[in-house]
Amino acid sequence: IYEFTMGVDGSKVKGRYTYVYVYENNQWKIAHHHSSVMPEEHSGASASSAPIADDEVRSLFSLWNNALATLNPDEVAKR
């Protein structure tokens, strides 16, 4: 757990991170890194935003699955 500054408004929040490592050329390397706000720091949608609709979730899920099905990392990265 660490603290980072949000680029939009400069507020500070606690975050968590994950790394994906690969062993390449006799060396461990970071292949992917992801950071996100701790769930308890972000209690849901703000008053100015609407919750995401089920249809939108299904649509985004389909986009992601379709990209994965191509087996093309560039297509997956676009999603």
Side-chain angles (χ1 to χ4, degrees):
I1 298 174
Y2 64 102
E3 183 178 274
F4 62 98
T5 304
M6 301 297 284
V8 175
D9 62 6
S11 61
K12 296 194 182 295
V13 295
K14 290 182 182 170
R16 59 184 173 184
Y17 56 89
T18 56
Y19 290 105
V20 175
Y21 295 94
V22 295
Y23 194 71
E24 188 176 281
N25 298 324
N26 296 319
Q27 217 175 3
W28 284 103
K29 298 181 180 181
I30 297 171
H32 178 76
H33 166 259
H34 175 77
S35 295
S36 59
V37 175
M38 295 294 291
E40 57 273 14
E41 293 287 318
H42 183 69
S43 60
S46 68
S48 63
S49 65
I52 188 168
D54 288 348
D55 287 344
E56 188 174 1
V57 172
R58 285 186 192 93
S59 175
L60 292 170
F61 187 76
S62 291
L63 286 172
W64 176 251
N65 276 334
N66 291 342
L68 288 172
T70 69
L71 301 177
N72 180 335
D74 293 327
E75 286 299 315
V76 174
K78 290 179 189 176
R79 298 293 163 212

